[in-house]
Amino acid sequence: MLRIPDPRAFLHARREALRTSFVRGPWTQGVFEFVAFGIKQAWACLFGGLMLALLLGTYLWYPQSWTLARFDFLTLAALSIQIILIATRLETWEEAKVIAAFHVVGTVMEIFKTQAGSWEYPEASLLRIAGVPLFSGFMYAAVGSYIARVWRIFDFRFDRFPKMSWQIALAVAVYVNFFAHHYGPDFRLFLFLATGIVYGRCVVWFRPDAAHRPMPLVVGFLLVALFIWFAENLGTFARAWVYPGQDAGWHMVSLAKLGSWYLLMIISFVLVAAVQYRQQPANSELDRP
């Protein structure tokens, strides 16, 4: 049977060789660690980065004469990327399960939000459910993919990791509020406060190179939400979806959306944390060594 080589082993060997040849003291170690952090972050964003490249590339150069609609092409391309990542072992099956769950969660929310008029998809396609093109679920899956991959690539450890029951309750409340605020009060301010209560004392230790470095977990959520907001601006510029008011011409997405993406981080994190928690029953707090 044909065995596909594992590219991670090759990349790891090249990284170790570069460290040996470059690092000569604390300054070069600091530079190497900073660069390694950036490369690892880019590697964790692989699926999301490829999706953004597809959105922009098809917006600029997709042939109008093709029978296959642009949105359908995006769906098939995203599915192909997912298959390749699994086949080359750049993504594990456990990560793929989390991504699939987030795909479903995201698609359900997309159907509701588009029908509520929160945003719309401006192009026709065949591969869609209730007016929502299937590639949209892969955009949510990209967030899940990033969380799952960054957890593994940076070898996350935690101090004062919250109980999973609290996290799950918070994630459910966040998800329900995304729907319920259309019919009643918006409780997101209380949810922001709840995230501070649940995660405020938690510190994530991540490994950019040889040593683990600490960061308050809430700060990590905010930074990821900020980068998703940047990506959302690229997505709307490429007219993958548009918000009310963007039909007349593109403008930047409101900074208020940062709050939504911050809360979305909670759902993403809890889905991944639930898998990690299940894999480490003897160490339910997931403390660092």
Side-chain angles (χ1 to χ4, degrees):
M1 184 175 70
L2 178 64
R3 182 175 179 80
I4 300 175
D6 187 350
R8 291 176 299 179
F10 170 79
L11 293 171
H12 179 73
R14 294 301 302 162
R15 178 168 169 268
E16 293 302 307
L18 181 60
R19 182 199 287 118
T20 300
S21 63
F22 179 77
V23 175
R24 291 291 181 267
W27 285 101
T28 51
Q29 173 62 43
V31 171
F32 184 85
E33 187 167 311
F34 179 78
V35 173
F37 175 83
I39 292 173
K40 280 189 170 184
Q41 283 288 347
W43 195 238
C45 293
L46 180 61
F47 186 83
L50 290 172
M51 284 300 299
L52 278 178
L54 281 168
L55 294 182
L56 289 171
T58 55
Y59 173 68
L60 295 172
W61 297 297
Y62 196 76
Q64 296 294 321
S65 59
W66 280 17
T67 304
L68 182 66
R70 174 192 173 214
F71 282 2
D72 290 337
F73 173 84
L74 288 171
T75 298
L76 297 176
L79 183 60
S80 300
I81 292 171
Q82 189 70 75
I83 292 172
I84 291 171
L85 289 178
I86 295 173
T88 56
R89 287 171 285 175
L90 294 177
E91 206 160 73
T92 68
W93 277 107
E94 284 298 326
E95 290 167 351
K97 292 175 184 177
V98 172
I99 292 164
F102 207 59
H103 193 292
V104 173
V105 167
T107 300
V108 171
M109 189 161 65
E110 283 289 311
I111 292 171
F112 178 86
K113 288 289 189 177
T114 53
Q115 292 180 352
S118 298
W119 56 81
E120 64 179 18
Y121 291 91
E123 298 181 24
S125 61
L126 290 176
L127 302 176
R128 58 172 56 211
I129 298 176
V132 175
L134 295 184
F135 84 84
S136 66
F138 285 102
M139 301 307 298
Y140 287 90
V143 178
S145 173
Y146 169 77
I147 299 295
R149 287 170 60 80
V150 80
W151 193 308
R152 169 171 54 85
I153 291 170
F154 281 91
D155 189 26
F156 280 1
R157 298 289 185 268
F158 297 89
D159 285 337
R160 298 179 294 276
F161 192 74
K163 292 182 179 179
M164 280 307 307
S165 57
W166 298 353
Q167 297 188 60
I168 291 171
L170 178 59
V172 170
V174 168
Y175 192 64
V176 169
N177 191 68
F178 276 129
F179 298 88
H181 80 85
H182 287 276
Y183 305 105
D186 188 346
F187 291 103
R188 72 180 59 201
L189 291 179
F190 295 99
L191 293 172
F192 291 143
L193 178 61
T195 64
I197 294 172
V198 173
Y199 293 108
R201 298 176 63 249
C202 183
V203 174
V204 57
W205 291 78
F206 60 97
R207 190 173 66 186
D209 184 35
H212 279 79
R213 307 297 182 189
M215 176 189 292
L217 184 57
V218 171
V219 173
F221 289 158
L222 288 170
L223 291 174
V224 175
L226 179 62
F227 278 96
I228 295 176
W229 179 77
F230 289 143
E232 183 178 38
N233 275 284
L234 291 174
T236 55
F237 173 79
R239 293 190 63 79
W241 65 94
V242 294
Y243 287 103
Q246 287 185 325
D247 276 332
W250 180 81
H251 56 79
M252 292 189 71
V253 178
S254 169
L255 277 170
K257 285 291 180 181
L258 275 174
S260 298
W261 288 118
Y262 173 82
L263 292 175
L264 186 72
M265 280 295 91
I266 304 303
I267 300 173
S268 308
F269 183 83
V270 172
L271 283 171
V272 178
V275 173
Q276 297 292 334
Y277 183 85
R278 203 169 57 244
Q279 292 176 345
Q280 303 181 46
N283 185 18
S284 61
E285 294 301 315
L286 297 176
D287 288 334
R288 66 184 178 93

PDB file of all heavy atoms in Angstrom, residues 118-133:
ATOM      1  N   SER A 118     -28.850  39.441   8.794  1.00  0.00           N
ATOM      2  CA  SER A 118     -27.594  39.935   9.369  1.00  0.00           C
ATOM      3  C   SER A 118     -26.527  40.118   8.295  1.00  0.00           C
ATOM      4  O   SER A 118     -25.698  41.032   8.379  1.00  0.00           O
ATOM      5  CB  SER A 118     -27.094  38.970  10.448  1.00  0.00           C
ATOM      6  OG  SER A 118     -28.028  38.881  11.518  1.00  0.00           O
ATOM      7  N   TRP A 119     -26.505  39.241   7.299  1.00  0.00           N
ATOM      8  CA  TRP A 119     -25.629  39.355   6.142  1.00  0.00           C
ATOM      9  C   TRP A 119     -26.198  38.485   5.030  1.00  0.00           C
ATOM     10  O   TRP A 119     -27.175  37.758   5.233  1.00  0.00           O
ATOM     11  CB  TRP A 119     -24.185  38.958   6.479  1.00  0.00           C
ATOM     12  CG  TRP A 119     -24.039  37.587   7.067  1.00  0.00           C
ATOM     13  CD1 TRP A 119     -24.017  36.393   6.404  1.00  0.00           C
ATOM     14  CD2 TRP A 119     -23.876  37.261   8.456  1.00  0.00           C
ATOM     15  NE1 TRP A 119     -23.857  35.340   7.279  1.00  0.00           N
ATOM     16  CE2 TRP A 119     -23.759  35.848   8.547  1.00  0.00           C
ATOM     17  CE3 TRP A 119     -23.811  38.020   9.629  1.00  0.00           C
ATOM     18  CZ2 TRP A 119     -23.593  35.205   9.764  1.00  0.00           C
ATOM     19  CZ3 TRP A 119     -23.632  37.365  10.844  1.00  0.00           C
ATOM     20  CH2 TRP A 119     -23.528  35.967  10.895  1.00  0.00           C
ATOM     21  N   GLU A 120     -25.604  38.547   3.864  1.00  0.00           N
ATOM     22  CA  GLU A 120     -26.115  37.751   2.742  1.00  0.00           C
ATOM     23  C   GLU A 120     -24.966  37.328   1.842  1.00  0.00           C
ATOM     24  O   GLU A 120     -23.856  37.877   1.909  1.00  0.00           O
ATOM     25  CB  GLU A 120     -27.136  38.545   1.933  1.00  0.00           C
ATOM     26  CG  GLU A 120     -26.567  39.779   1.259  1.00  0.00           C
ATOM     27  CD  GLU A 120     -27.619  40.522   0.449  1.00  0.00           C
ATOM     28  OE1 GLU A 120     -28.820  40.294   0.672  1.00  0.00           O
ATOM     29  OE2 GLU A 120     -27.221  41.334  -0.408  1.00  0.00           O
ATOM     30  N   TYR A 121     -25.261  36.337   1.006  1.00  0.00           N
ATOM     31  CA  TYR A 121     -24.282  35.839   0.028  1.00  0.00           C
ATOM     32  C   TYR A 121     -24.730  36.320  -1.353  1.00  0.00           C
ATOM     33  O   TYR A 121     -25.813  35.966  -1.816  1.00  0.00           O
ATOM     34  CB  TYR A 121     -24.192  34.317   0.103  1.00  0.00           C
ATOM     35  CG  TYR A 121     -23.562  33.878   1.408  1.00  0.00           C
ATOM     36  CD1 TYR A 121     -24.347  33.606   2.523  1.00  0.00           C
ATOM     37  CD2 TYR A 121     -22.189  33.790   1.523  1.00  0.00           C
ATOM     38  CE1 TYR A 121     -23.779  33.246   3.725  1.00  0.00           C
ATOM     39  CE2 TYR A 121     -21.607  33.421   2.730  1.00  0.00           C
ATOM     40  CZ  TYR A 121     -22.401  33.147   3.822  1.00  0.00           C
ATOM     41  OH  TYR A 121     -21.824  32.810   5.011  1.00  0.00           O
ATOM     42  N   PRO A 122     -23.912  37.140  -2.010  1.00  0.00           N
ATOM     43  CA  PRO A 122     -24.388  37.875  -3.196  1.00  0.00           C
ATOM     44  C   PRO A 122     -24.350  37.097  -4.502  1.00  0.00           C
ATOM     45  O   PRO A 122     -24.755  37.638  -5.529  1.00  0.00           O
ATOM     46  CB  PRO A 122     -23.411  39.057  -3.253  1.00  0.00           C
ATOM     47  CG  PRO A 122     -22.141  38.524  -2.674  1.00  0.00           C
ATOM     48  CD  PRO A 122     -22.557  37.560  -1.603  1.00  0.00           C
ATOM     49  N   GLU A 123     -23.871  35.848  -4.500  1.00  0.00           N
ATOM     50  CA  GLU A 123     -23.753  35.118  -5.764  1.00  0.00           C
ATOM     51  C   GLU A 123     -24.557  33.824  -5.718  1.00  0.00           C
ATOM     52  O   GLU A 123     -24.783  33.250  -4.646  1.00  0.00           O
ATOM     53  CB  GLU A 123     -22.282  34.810  -6.064  1.00  0.00           C
ATOM     54  CG  GLU A 123     -21.418  36.060  -6.239  1.00  0.00           C
ATOM     55  CD  GLU A 123     -19.976  35.717  -6.562  1.00  0.00           C
ATOM     56  OE1 GLU A 123     -19.727  34.616  -7.092  1.00  0.00           O
ATOM     57  OE2 GLU A 123     -19.093  36.555  -6.285  1.00  0.00           O
ATOM     58  N   ALA A 124     -24.955  33.357  -6.882  1.00  0.00           N
ATOM     59  CA  ALA A 124     -25.735  32.121  -6.983  1.00  0.00           C
ATOM     60  C   ALA A 124     -24.812  30.906  -6.862  1.00  0.00           C
ATOM     61  O   ALA A 124     -23.613  30.971  -7.133  1.00  0.00           O
ATOM     62  CB  ALA A 124     -26.466  32.078  -8.324  1.00  0.00           C
ATOM     63  N   SER A 125     -25.408  29.784  -6.443  1.00  0.00           N
ATOM     64  CA  SER A 125     -24.653  28.527  -6.355  1.00  0.00           C
ATOM     65  C   SER A 125     -25.641  27.379  -6.244  1.00  0.00           C
ATOM     66  O   SER A 125     -26.812  27.566  -5.867  1.00  0.00           O
ATOM     67  CB  SER A 125     -23.713  28.532  -5.148  1.00  0.00           C
ATOM     68  OG  SER A 125     -24.438  28.658  -3.946  1.00  0.00           O
ATOM     69  N   LEU A 126     -25.168  26.183  -6.555  1.00  0.00           N
ATOM     70  CA  LEU A 126     -25.987  24.982  -6.432  1.00  0.00           C
ATOM     71  C   LEU A 126     -25.787  24.298  -5.076  1.00  0.00           C
ATOM     72  O   LEU A 126     -26.726  23.768  -4.499  1.00  0.00           O
ATOM     73  CB  LEU A 126     -25.654  23.996  -7.564  1.00  0.00           C
ATOM     74  CG  LEU A 126     -26.084  24.407  -8.972  1.00  0.00           C
ATOM     75  CD1 LEU A 126     -25.594  23.379  -9.990  1.00  0.00           C
ATOM     76  CD2 LEU A 126     -27.603  24.559  -9.060  1.00  0.00           C
ATOM     77  N   LEU A 127     -24.534  24.305  -4.595  1.00  0.00           N
ATOM     78  CA  LEU A 127     -24.200  23.618  -3.347  1.00  0.00           C
ATOM     79  C   LEU A 127     -24.507  24.543  -2.177  1.00  0.00           C
ATOM     80  O   LEU A 127     -23.645  25.251  -1.665  1.00  0.00           O
ATOM     81  CB  LEU A 127     -22.723  23.198  -3.349  1.00  0.00           C
ATOM     82  CG  LEU A 127     -22.296  22.276  -4.503  1.00  0.00           C
ATOM     83  CD1 LEU A 127     -20.810  22.002  -4.465  1.00  0.00           C
ATOM     84  CD2 LEU A 127     -23.100  20.981  -4.455  1.00  0.00           C
ATOM     85  N   ARG A 128     -25.749  24.532  -1.755  1.00  0.00           N
ATOM     86  CA  ARG A 128     -26.184  25.409  -0.674  1.00  0.00           C
ATOM     87  C   ARG A 128     -27.333  24.769   0.085  1.00  0.00           C
ATOM     88  O   ARG A 128     -28.014  23.865  -0.420  1.00  0.00           O
ATOM     89  CB  ARG A 128     -26.595  26.779  -1.200  1.00  0.00           C
ATOM     90  CG  ARG A 128     -27.714  26.776  -2.228  1.00  0.00           C
ATOM     91  CD  ARG A 128     -28.183  28.203  -2.543  1.00  0.00           C
ATOM     92  NE  ARG A 128     -27.097  29.066  -2.988  1.00  0.00           N
ATOM     93  CZ  ARG A 128     -27.052  30.379  -2.770  1.00  0.00           C
ATOM     94  NH1 ARG A 128     -28.009  30.971  -2.095  1.00  0.00           N
ATOM     95  NH2 ARG A 128     -26.061  31.096  -3.219  1.00  0.00           N
ATOM     96  N   ILE A 129     -27.533  25.243   1.302  1.00  0.00           N
ATOM     97  CA  ILE A 129     -28.649  24.799   2.133  1.00  0.00           C
ATOM     98  C   ILE A 129     -29.398  26.038   2.596  1.00  0.00           C
ATOM     99  O   ILE A 129     -28.809  26.935   3.213  1.00  0.00           O
ATOM    100  CB  ILE A 129     -28.161  24.008   3.362  1.00  0.00           C
ATOM    101  CG1 ILE A 129     -27.417  22.740   2.939  1.00  0.00           C
ATOM    102  CG2 ILE A 129     -29.338  23.633   4.258  1.00  0.00           C
ATOM    103  CD1 ILE A 129     -26.823  21.971   4.099  1.00  0.00           C
ATOM    104  N   ALA A 130     -30.680  26.095   2.278  1.00  0.00           N
ATOM    105  CA  ALA A 130     -31.529  27.223   2.687  1.00  0.00           C
ATOM    106  C   ALA A 130     -30.896  28.562   2.305  1.00  0.00           C
ATOM    107  O   ALA A 130     -30.920  29.516   3.082  1.00  0.00           O
ATOM    108  CB  ALA A 130     -31.796  27.161   4.195  1.00  0.00           C
ATOM    109  N   GLY A 131     -30.328  28.614   1.122  1.00  0.00           N
ATOM    110  CA  GLY A 131     -29.744  29.851   0.628  1.00  0.00           C
ATOM    111  C   GLY A 131     -28.327  30.117   1.086  1.00  0.00           C
ATOM    112  O   GLY A 131     -27.728  31.125   0.694  1.00  0.00           O
ATOM    113  N   VAL A 132     -27.760  29.237   1.901  1.00  0.00           N
ATOM    114  CA  VAL A 132     -26.401  29.426   2.423  1.00  0.00           C
ATOM    115  C   VAL A 132     -25.446  28.500   1.678  1.00  0.00           C
ATOM    116  O   VAL A 132     -25.587  27.278   1.754  1.00  0.00           O
ATOM    117  CB  VAL A 132     -26.347  29.129   3.936  1.00  0.00           C
ATOM    118  CG1 VAL A 132     -24.898  29.214   4.446  1.00  0.00           C
ATOM    119  CG2 VAL A 132     -27.238  30.098   4.691  1.00  0.00           C
ATOM    120  N   PRO A 133     -24.461  29.044   0.942  1.00  0.00           N
ATOM    121  CA  PRO A 133     -23.500  28.180   0.238  1.00  0.00           C
ATOM    122  C   PRO A 133     -22.672  27.370   1.230  1.00  0.00           C
ATOM    123  O   PRO A 133     -22.306  27.861   2.305  1.00  0.00           O
ATOM    124  CB  PRO A 133     -22.632  29.179  -0.538  1.00  0.00           C
ATOM    125  CG  PRO A 133     -22.827  30.484   0.139  1.00  0.00           C
ATOM    126  CD  PRO A 133     -24.208  30.474   0.719  1.00  0.00           C
TER     127      PRO A 133
END
